[in-house]
Amino acid sequence: ALGFGGQSIRGGGGPGTGTKKAPILLLQDKGERLLLPIWIGTMEAGSIYAAMEGHESSRPMTHDLLYSICDEADYRVLGVDIRALEEQTFYADLRLERADGTILRVDCRPSDGVALTVRSGGEIRVAHAVMDAAQPIERAGEDMKAGIHFVSCDDEAGRLRLEAELVDMSPEDFGEFET
């Protein structure tokens, strides 16, 4: 599995949606060579963003509640493994450790796994098979850092469209998420 150290939330056009804005979870590998965009829901994006920024709400939101339940039950959130990509859908496992050291794997959406992992400081991992299925694209140009790969789960036309959209987006295009 590849370890991904950085994550950010951006708003951009969703797959096949033209100009419709949808949150994109951008996972960047620790070596800053790979970029894996995953379209996620607005609520999950807000939850991840809030955790990354250290924002706390007056009452626990869903991911805060689940994280607290894990903590109270002596389960430690180790991280999330994005393990499969099938028909443009990513699949993941949340990795938990019991107090006795037993490791549990629980099927989850990548966005939910990332939301909990950000809270725990755990590791986000992506299986090599997912990267192969996502078909990395090498990108080098005057306006881009050499060696950055853009990744999509679409056909070649979709990959090129995604690459063009991400390259041409400015921070203002992404908007802000409120929690």
Side-chain angles (χ1 to χ4, degrees):
L2 297 172
F4 279 69
Q7 60 274 335
S8 62
I9 302 291
R10 305 272 161 91
T17 62
T19 60
K20 183 178 178 183
K21 298 290 183 185
I24 302 170
L25 173 64
L26 296 173
L27 300 176
Q28 185 173 33
D29 73 322
K30 292 177 183 176
E32 298 182 1
R33 297 176 299 109
L34 301 172
L35 183 67
L36 179 65
I38 301 174
W39 277 267
I40 61 174
T42 304
M43 298 303 289
E44 292 80 7
S47 177
I48 294 167
Y49 181 79
M52 288 172 51
E53 295 295 315
H55 296 261
E56 293 184 24
S57 62
S58 59
R59 301 291 301 141
M61 301 303 287
T62 304
H63 292 109
D64 299 319
L65 173 64
L66 185 53
Y67 185 77
S68 293
I69 290 170
C70 288
D71 189 49
E72 289 296 321
D74 286 330
Y75 285 85
R76 187 167 65 111
V77 177
L78 297 175
V80 62
D81 293 338
I82 302 174
R83 62 176 157 76
L85 173 60
E86 299 171 6
E87 298 181 21
Q88 300 184 15
T89 300
F90 289 91
Y91 294 86
D93 289 324
L94 184 65
R95 287 180 293 110
L96 302 170
E97 181 180 30
R98 289 183 182 156
D100 67 3
T102 303
I103 305 295
L104 300 172
R105 301 177 77 75
V106 180
D107 182 42
C108 68
R109 296 181 304 175
S111 56
D112 293 325
V114 168
L116 291 167
T117 297
V118 168
R119 284 163 172 77
S120 74
E123 185 178 24
I124 300 168
R125 302 187 308 191
V126 179
H128 287 288
V130 171
M131 297 306 294
D132 291 342
Q135 301 176 4
I137 298 172
E138 279 198 53
R139 177 77 178 150
E142 294 176 15
D143 59 341
M144 296 296 299
K145 186 178 184 190
I148 292 179
H149 299 265
F150 288 88
V151 183
S152 172
C153 59
D154 211 342
D155 59 12
E156 183 156 343
R159 286 191 308 276
L160 295 174
R161 183 179 64 249
L162 173 64
E163 177 183 354
E165 286 181 20
L166 290 174
V167 168
D168 293 337
M169 287 181 161
S170 68
E172 294 78 30
D173 294 330
F174 299 136
E176 294 290 325
F177 290 95
E178 296 198 16
T179 57

